[in-house]
Amino acid sequence: MRRVYNFSAGPAVLPEEVLKEAANEMLDYRGSGMSVMEMSHRSSSFETIIRNAERDLRTLLEIPEDYEVLFLQGGASLQFSMIPMNLMKQRKADYIVTGQWAKKAWKEAEKYGEARVIASSEDRTFSYIPDVSDLPISEDADYIYICENNTIYGTKFHKLPDTKGKPLVADVSSCFLSEPADITKYGIMYGGVQKNIGPAGVTIVIIRKDLISDDVLSGTPTMMRYKIHTDAKSLYNTPPAYGIYICGKVFRWLLDLGGLPEIQKRNQTKAALLYEYLDNSRLFSGTVKKKDRSLMNVPFVTGKKELDEKFIAEAEKEGLVNLRGHRSVGGMRASIYNAMPYAGVEKLVTFLERFEKENG
Ligand SMILES: *Cc1c(COP(=O)(O)O)cnc(C)c1O
């Protein structure tokens, strides 16, 4: 068996301990005589799995009682429409556009009401986070929308915008559980789990209870109403059961290693190693404004297309895979999520140094 260091932006690396545990339980989950994949979602075994997953997530993020936790399907992308359909009571929302994902969410919201862009960084290929200290927020906006970590461009909001009392809705797909967060600052925090938490197929939505009601846009499908899912505790229909089970194991893994303060420290150490190399390199350079850099996604370039290609090909031979950048940025991108070990980043930096010596 040969495991590589997988720098994919998503689906992405998972903790080896979690994968091994899941492998051990594959044929007989704790005396049930079956795999979690084969189990009824109404069984007591699965009931325990989903309730423990919710409990551990609540512990990790210190989620207060006035927030609901949902395990849904449809990816982060389905939330682009669920959010306006459930929240746009006055048919108005303000969007901060810091990348493709925020832009897609904004475009979707335009179908349901007046979705205004109140700040954007598109003028410089989304390589920075715009100033959000004093935004022209609409008086009657139902919510303010951000994509907190921009997976493609490698930027992150290090300070949340002042929403002047309006609910903040944040897509945290690629920074979910990477550091402590104050949930009370959010109306909705949501993300697909396939970047930093688990396998594709689960979307976690953490939503403040006062935002959940039967008063949704007319025509909203049953499956797209938050209230249907909160009333049924994420079991309105068959949930992505195996995915939720793996998420639960990742939550335990995080708790066992010391929770979000500890994973934040590890993430900072890993990112610092890579950024410090890039800042001192004569061949490679980061593409993002320093103060807005992400701890999770690190795009970088040589400035020469052929050299980028050569780097990606040679890295792959070293077992450093999925380093190709998104087509809209080019170059390389190293996604160094929670489950990427320090040794993986160290090996990448050692290889970068060698490549620079040979090609610089
Ligand atoms: C990957 C990603 C998405 C899209 O997620 P899907 O689950 O594929 O719909 C949305 N937002 C962000 C920030 C992402 O990184």
Side-chain angles (χ1 to χ4, degrees), residues 282-313:
R282 286 157 176 264
L283 182 62
F284 297 98
S285 55
T287 58
V288 167
K289 194 168 169 183
K290 278 189 191 177
K291 72 171 188 48
D292 300 325
R293 284 168 165 175
S294 163
L295 288 182
M296 298 280 100
N297 311 99
V298 183
F300 56 96
V301 295
T302 63
K304 289 197 195 111
K305 224 175 158 202
E306 322 77 72
L307 213 48
D308 289 348
E309 288 301 329
K310 187 174 177 208
F311 175 81
I312 292 162

Side-chain angles (χ1 to χ4, degrees), residues 57 61 63 69-71 148-149 156 170-181 183 189-198 202-206 250-251 254 260 263 267 296 337-338:
L57 177 60
L61 270 171
I63 302 173
V69 172
L70 291 172
F71 296 98
E148 195 164 327
N149 187 80
K156 159 110 205 291
D171 175 356
V172 299
S173 295
S174 50
C175 60
F176 227 155
L177 304 182
S178 62
E179 59 185 18
I183 287 287
M189 176 192 272
Y190 81 93
V193 304
Q194 72 273 22
K195 311 283 160 68
N196 212 14
I197 300 180
V202 185
T203 309
I204 295 177
V205 178
I206 304 166
V250 172
F251 301 153
L254 284 167
L260 301 189
I263 200 73
N267 287 334
M296 298 280 100
Y337 295 121
N338 287 352

Side-chain angles (χ1 to χ4, degrees), residues 205-217:
V205 178
I206 304 166
I207 177 169
R208 211 172 62 210
K209 281 182 179 166
D210 65 291
L211 298 174
I212 305 163
S213 78
D214 285 320
D215 176 23
V216 296
L217 297 193

Side-chain angles (χ1 to χ4, degrees), residues 77-137:
S77 300
L78 191 67
Q79 295 306 310
F80 299 170
S81 19
M82 255 177 107
I83 289 158
M85 289 178 119
N86 284 266
L87 262 52
M88 252 192 188
K89 318 247 185 243
Q90 300 171 91
R91 304 255 178 171
K92 222 175 229 189
D94 290 347
Y95 279 71
I96 301 175
V97 173
T98 52
Q100 301 286 3
W101 295 118
K103 195 171 176 178
K104 278 190 175 159
W106 162 57
K107 284 282 173 203
E108 194 65 24
E110 277 196 313
K111 295 181 180 167
Y112 304 102
E114 191 185 326
R116 278 208 315 154
V117 176
I118 54 168
S120 165
S121 53
E122 193 165 12
D123 60 336
R124 278 183 276 142
T125 333
F126 300 118
S127 59
Y128 68 102
I129 297 290
D131 178 18
V132 291
S133 51
D134 186 25
L135 292 165
I137 286 171

